[in-house]
């Protein structure tokens, strides 16, 4: 089906297009395996043309087939239809209604402002409507394609879906709702809701194809780019790459990180309510017994801006390279913190690390005044985002061990993302959740530990030896 449509459009069907076709063409008995399909793919990855290859193939092989197409506006929907109609005309499979032809095998393209359609010789039709409930009353369709679904914000998209679903009620078991797009500007709306339902896997009639970065992955990691975006691995018939990495690099240079990640990595913008860490992976690394003491470690502390509490955490890596964490103290207020951190650093013979922001600065100044002195190392703001991402990655990859301490576990569950500067992100506290200072301290301690080489043993040699 998709191969037939792609050939008529004169376009190659890449691997991602084959995946789209397999999702849409999956069968159960004599009907569609999924009556609703949600597809999320990055920009410049042939998302729209892959879906169109399927619906064009259906139009020419199923007599009397009906497909309604819409997007975030009637104008955009019309543009999408006319772009694909132009391809059909260019390959000799269609003509414009104004043109005379004696060939009855050609589809006819009607370019009427806001009422664009393609009529096929077998009675099939593909037509556009604006995304308004009233535009589809008293109509009937086998398929409904909602493109650019991420742009349907608020209740608009859901209201339209509620109106179009009845169009398929009398069209038989092959009827299908197809919703495709890239992320919207917030984790709300019709498209986000369908994606979440598909990811949960609770509805057996909802199929999903999802090319997206995970929340805990680094959107600056080029390996993630290659995994998420199918463009760099898709080769055209002439041997050129569909979307080269250098094109993605240019887009990244011209866009802020949030916009780039949304458009090209399908990362929905995060807010304070979005969990930043893989809680299940964290729990898997927990130990009820005290961890074996390390040969080398660091102490890190963190306090929120209002200084209502402070956490002191010891951080190291074990012989297997796993990051290890143990909360040494987590108490209300901060008056106790400098003395405690100083004594712990002296006893363990390790440095004290902190994020150079807010109330942490005054605690660090007090530690420096303690005698005998200990090493106090600030983490520069430039590295805070990197520390957060490293911590998230180590947890996700199962490279952590930690004492099963309630305060530390609660902090992990409470960590979200917050914007940091123009292009960065850092840890923030999720609304209504626990204090995250233990997790923040753990992240900055791990960053400092990994950035500081282990001291080498001093070798003393005497002359003649």
């Amino acid at each position: 089906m998709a191969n037939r449509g792609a050939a008529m459009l004169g376009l190659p069907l890449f691997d991602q297009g084959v995946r789209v076709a397999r999702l849409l063409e999956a069968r159960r008995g004599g009907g569609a395996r999924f009556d609703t399909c949600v597809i999320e793919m990055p920009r410049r990855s042939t998302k729209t043309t892959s879906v169109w290859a399927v619906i064009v193939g259906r139009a020419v092989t199923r007599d009397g087939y009906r497909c309604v197409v819409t997007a975030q506006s009637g104008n955009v929907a019309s543009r999408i239809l006319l772009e694909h109609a132009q391809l059909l005309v260019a390959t000799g499979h269609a003509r414009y209604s104004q043109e005379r032809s004696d060939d009855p095998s050609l589809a006819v393209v009607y370019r009427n402002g806001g009422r664009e359609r393609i009529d096929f010789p077998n009675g099939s039709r593909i037509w556009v409507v604006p995304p308004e409930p009233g535009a589809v009353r008293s109509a009937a369709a086998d398929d409904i394609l909602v493109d650019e679904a991420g742009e349907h914000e608020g209740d608009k998209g859901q209201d339209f879906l509620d109106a179009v679903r009845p169009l398929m009620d009398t069209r038989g078991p092959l009827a299908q709702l197809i919703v495709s797009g890239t992320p919207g500007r917030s984790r709300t709306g019709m498209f986000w809701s369908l994606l979440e339902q598909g990811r949960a896997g609770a509805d057996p009639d909802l199929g999903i194809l999802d090319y997206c970065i995970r929340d805990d992955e680094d959107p600056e990691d080029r390996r993630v780019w290659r995994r998420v975006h199918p463009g760099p691995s898709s080769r055209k018939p002439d041997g050129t790459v569909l979307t080269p990495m250098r094109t993605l690099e240019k887009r990244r240079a011209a866009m802020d990180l949030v916009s780039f990640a949304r458009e090209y990595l399908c990362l929905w913008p995060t807010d304070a309510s979005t969990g930043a860490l893989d809680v299940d992976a964290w729990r898997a690394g927990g130990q009820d017994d005290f961890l074996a003491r390390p040969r080398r470690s660091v102490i890190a502390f963190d306090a929120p801006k209002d200084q209502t509490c402070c956490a002191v955490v010891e951080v190291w890596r074990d012989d297997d390279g796993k990051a290890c964490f143990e909360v040494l103290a987590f108490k209300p207020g901060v008056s106790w913190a400098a003395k405690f951190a100083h004594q712990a650093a002296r006893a363990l013979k390790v440095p004290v690390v902190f994020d150079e922001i807010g109330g942490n600065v005054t605690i660090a100044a007090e530690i420096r005044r303690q005698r005998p002195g200990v090493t106090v190392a600030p983490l520069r703001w430039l590295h805070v985002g990197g520390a957060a991402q490293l911590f998230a990655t180590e947890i996700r990859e199962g490279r952590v061990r930690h004492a099963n301490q309630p305060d530390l576990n609660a902090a992990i569950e409470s960590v979200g993302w917050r914007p940091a500067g123009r292009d960065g992100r850092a840890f923030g506290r999720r609304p209504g959740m626990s204090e995250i200072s233990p997790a923040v301290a753990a992240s900055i301690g791990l960053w400092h530990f990994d950035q500081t080489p282990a001291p080498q043993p001093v070798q003393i040699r005497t002359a003649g030896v």
Side-chain angles (χ1 to χ4, degrees):
M1 193 78 70
N3 287 325
R4 177 80 176 271
M8 292 181 64
L9 293 167
L11 298 173
L13 196 65
F14 298 105
D15 286 346
Q16 61 270 26
V18 172
R19 290 175 181 269
V20 168
R22 286 174 177 168
L23 175 71
L24 301 182
E25 289 296 295
R27 293 289 179 261
R28 178 172 53 193
R33 171 68 181 81
F34 306 109
D35 61 22
T36 301
C37 294
V38 57
I39 301 168
E40 179 175 59
M41 292 172 64
R43 298 289 182 197
R44 315 312 304 167
S45 61
T46 68
K47 165 183 56 64
T48 297
T49 54
S50 297
V51 175
W52 268 82
V54 174
I55 64 173
V56 168
R58 289 175 176 177
V60 296
T61 58
R62 289 163 53 179
D63 293 350
Y65 170 81
R66 293 285 189 272
C67 180
V68 172
V69 177
T70 194
Q72 71 264 41
S73 70
N75 288 337
V76 173
S78 295
R79 174 179 57 77
I80 292 172
L81 182 142
L82 290 175
E83 286 175 354
H84 290 86
Q86 184 178 13
L87 295 174
L88 291 173
V89 172
T91 57
H93 291 96
R95 64 177 177 85
Y96 292 110
S97 59
Q98 301 91 333
E99 300 172 349
R100 289 181 171 275
S101 174
D102 296 328
D103 187 348
S105 67
L106 296 180
V108 181
V109 179
Y110 292 86
R111 296 180 289 187
N112 304 325
R115 293 181 293 176
E116 289 78 9
R117 71 179 193 269
I118 306 173
D119 285 350
F120 294 83
N122 63 351
S124 295
R125 173 176 292 181
I126 302 173
W127 78 100
V128 301
V129 297
E132 301 167 2
V136 293
R137 303 295 185 195
S138 302
D142 296 280
D143 290 341
I144 300 162
L145 170 58
V146 182
D147 204 353
E148 302 293 349
E151 303 302 321
H152 293 256
E153 299 180 347
D155 295 332
K156 177 181 177 182
Q158 190 59 53
D159 290 344
F160 182 74
L161 283 191
D162 292 342
V164 298
R165 286 186 188 276
L167 271 62
M168 304 184 296
D169 288 349
T170 60
R171 299 299 291 185
L174 292 176
Q176 197 169 62
L177 171 65
I178 306 167
V179 182
S180 66
T182 51
R185 299 183 182 278
S186 64
R187 299 186 174 203
T188 58
M190 168 264 295
F191 191 37
W192 172 253
S193 178
L194 285 174
L195 284 170
E196 286 292 271
Q197 292 175 44
R199 291 163 179 167
D203 185 351
D205 297 322
L206 174 60
I208 181 173
L209 180 62
D210 194 5
Y211 285 76
C212 70
I213 184 175
R214 295 189 295 267
D215 285 339
D216 56 359
E217 288 185 303
D218 184 0
E220 293 281 30
D221 188 338
R222 270 51 177 177
R223 293 171 299 179
V224 173
W225 292 14
R226 289 185 179 277
R227 180 181 64 79
V228 173
H229 200 297
S233 61
S234 300
R235 289 200 172 273
K236 302 176 184 178
D238 62 4
T240 60
V241 175
L242 175 65
T243 313
M245 282 294 290
R246 65 176 179 273
T247 298
L248 297 183
E249 293 286 0
K250 289 179 181 178
R251 300 296 175 266
R252 172 64 188 96
M255 303 169 71
D256 64 81
L257 183 59
V258 172
S259 297
F260 175 82
R262 182 169 72 94
E263 297 285 352
Y264 288 93
L265 301 177
C266 289
L267 177 62
W268 286 74
T270 56
D271 56 27
S273 66
T274 305
L277 304 176
D278 188 331
V279 176
D280 290 336
W282 171 262
R283 289 173 180 158
Q287 290 189 200
D288 293 327
D289 298 329
F290 285 103
L291 303 181
R293 306 323 298 167
R295 293 188 297 270
R296 181 174 74 94
S297 66
V298 301
I299 287 175
F301 73 86
D302 184 72
K305 291 181 180 180
D306 59 10
Q307 295 192 323
T308 53
C309 61
C310 185
V312 181
V313 180
E314 187 178 6
V315 182
W316 68 95
R317 284 193 184 271
D318 63 16
D319 293 339
D320 296 326
K322 290 189 175 182
C324 300
F325 311 94
E326 186 169 321
V327 175
L328 302 182
F330 179 50
K331 302 179 183 179
V334 299
S335 60
W336 59 272
K339 183 177 180 180
F340 181 91
H342 175 261
Q343 291 177 342
R346 284 196 63 203
L348 297 171
K349 298 181 175 59
V350 298
V352 180
V353 187
F354 70 100
D355 177 4
E356 197 173 37
I357 188 173
N360 291 333
V361 176
T362 59
I363 298 172
E366 181 62 26
I367 296 174
R368 291 189 176 104
R369 286 193 288 269
Q370 303 285 321
R371 291 294 179 266
V374 296
T375 300
V376 181
L379 183 72
R380 305 299 181 190
W381 173 247
L382 177 66
H383 301 306
V384 170
Q389 187 60 60
L390 171 65
F391 189 59
T393 299
E394 294 300 284
I395 293 174
R396 184 187 73 241
E397 299 297 331
R399 294 193 292 262
V400 297
R401 295 175 65 230
H402 60 90
N404 260 331
Q405 299 168 294
D407 291 331
L408 181 55
N409 292 338
I412 295 298
E413 295 176 3
S414 303
V415 172
W417 292 113
R418 62 179 174 83
R422 177 178 180 269
D423 279 346
R425 59 179 184 171
F427 288 157
R429 179 181 174 184
R430 299 169 67 187
M433 302 291 280
S434 301
E435 177 52 53
I436 65 170
S437 290
V440 175
S443 71
I444 63 178
L446 180 60
W447 178 269
H448 181 86
F449 184 91
D450 283 359
Q451 298 298 314
T452 305
Q456 299 300 313
V458 178
Q459 297 182 348
I460 303 176
R461 296 185 178 182
T462 60
V465 178

